[in-house]
Amino acid sequence: MEFLGILVELLLFGVGVYLYLFARGIISIKDPERKEKAEAFREQNAGWMRILGLALAAIMGLNLVLHFQTLLSAS
């Protein structure tokens, strides 16, 4: 059950990193039509997406560190 929790934390950490990178414009989309829509959405919402992505990644990163410390100390 512990590993399921770690998996969920890793997943949410990845979502946070992806959201931050998307908000910064580092993630690129190859399809030109979808790229235009994504760029328009990113320009309108970049501010809160950066903050949300950083916050989610920081919180999940801390949770992962604490989770691994608990697992290693219990062994």
Side-chain angles (χ1 to χ4, degrees):
M1 203 61 173
E2 291 286 328
F3 296 111
L4 182 62
I6 290 175
L7 183 64
V8 169
E9 289 171 358
L10 276 172
L11 179 69
L12 288 173
F13 178 76
V15 168
V17 170
Y18 181 83
L19 185 61
Y20 177 74
L21 293 176
F22 178 74
R24 293 278 321 261
I26 296 172
I27 304 289
S28 62
I29 300 171
K30 294 183 182 188
D31 183 21
E33 184 178 314
R34 289 181 64 199
K35 185 175 184 173
E36 283 182 27
K37 290 179 184 178
E39 187 65 27
F41 177 79
R42 188 187 69 80
E43 285 178 5
Q44 292 176 352
N45 300 301
W48 67 265
M49 284 194 307
R50 282 183 189 171
I51 294 170
L52 181 66
L54 281 175
L56 185 60
I59 292 168
M60 287 298 113
L62 182 60
N63 281 343
L64 282 168
V65 168
L66 294 174
H67 207 142
F68 281 124
Q69 280 182 344
T70 304
L71 283 177
L72 293 176
S73 68
S75 298

